[in-house]
Amino acid sequence: MPRSKEAEAQLHRKLAVELFNHVWELMDKKDRTPEENDTMIHAAHASRYHWGKAGDPVNLARGEWQIARVYTVLGRAEPAHYHALRYLQICLAHCIGDFDLAYAYEALARVYAIQNKFIECAYYLKKARLAGEMIAKQEDREHFFRDLATIQLGRPDIPRD
């Protein structure tokens, strides 16, 4: 039985949200197995895929951010860099500002941090801080700066490319 376009869009949105939340559960888990790491990667990409079917540009951008964060958590700089750049590109192309723009710079700073690229990391940390000061809601601004403070250069627990 064919579904209406609205029913199909609702299904895509539901799946995108469920997968996005599942990725967060896995990222928060302290001792993930290699299989859970794989699931985390695939779920982040699947969430972004579903947002591509039923989301707005801001949903697409946040999907790219989550993929970048997953790869950064796993110490995989090359794919993290690609998706962090996509996040920034989508934000700039669609005039998405506020915390999304700040997090786009945060994502790039985090990528450069895991590569020990100090100059690039410092550049994006500065851009992130400046954009972070422009976040309208104080609660969002405080949350952002707590996240930004977790960026560390040369973390020994993350494998390098």
Side-chain angles (χ1 to χ4, degrees):
M1 176 184 240
R3 285 184 276 223
S4 71
K5 287 188 181 206
E6 182 53 38
E8 190 169 318
Q10 285 177 350
L11 177 61
H12 282 294
R13 283 190 291 273
K14 180 181 186 305
L15 290 169
V17 169
E18 287 176 3
L19 288 160
F20 189 92
N21 291 337
H22 182 57
V23 169
W24 272 111
E25 291 169 8
L26 290 170
M27 268 199 285
D28 288 341
K29 189 173 179 187
K30 298 295 179 212
D31 296 316
R32 284 183 310 276
T33 65
E35 292 78 16
E36 288 170 324
N37 287 339
D38 291 344
T39 297
M40 188 169 61
I41 291 168
H42 298 311
H45 282 279
S47 175
R48 169 57 182 82
Y49 168 81
H50 287 292
W51 280 125
K53 294 292 187 181
D56 295 321
V58 72
N59 303 117
L60 306 179
R62 291 174 185 168
E64 294 294 342
W65 175 84
Q66 189 180 56
I67 295 168
R69 186 62 169 260
V70 164
Y71 282 121
T72 302
V73 165
L74 297 175
R76 297 191 50 205
E78 190 277 325
H81 187 244
Y82 173 83
H83 292 284
L85 278 176
R86 286 296 297 134
Y87 183 29
L88 179 59
Q89 290 166 347
I90 294 168
C91 285
L92 295 175
H94 295 279
C95 298
I96 300 169
D98 204 71
F99 74 87
D100 285 291
L101 183 59
Y103 269 106
Y105 295 129
E106 174 268 350
L108 285 163
R110 199 172 290 278
V111 169
Y112 288 121
I114 67 167
Q115 297 176 84
N116 288 322
K117 293 186 176 182
F118 299 100
I119 294 169
E120 296 89 341
C121 181
Y123 173 80
Y124 282 105
L125 280 171
K126 183 176 182 178
K127 289 187 79 70
R129 285 185 193 105
L130 291 171
E133 291 298 332
M134 303 304 291
I135 296 172
K137 287 184 176 178
Q138 182 174 342
E139 182 180 333
D140 289 344
R141 191 169 50 252
E142 290 170 357
H143 185 267
F144 170 76
F145 279 106
R146 280 193 303 274
D147 276 351
L148 195 65
T150 66
I151 296 176
Q152 299 176 20
L153 287 169
R155 287 182 44 197
D157 60 321
I158 295 180
R160 303 289 175 241
D161 283 346

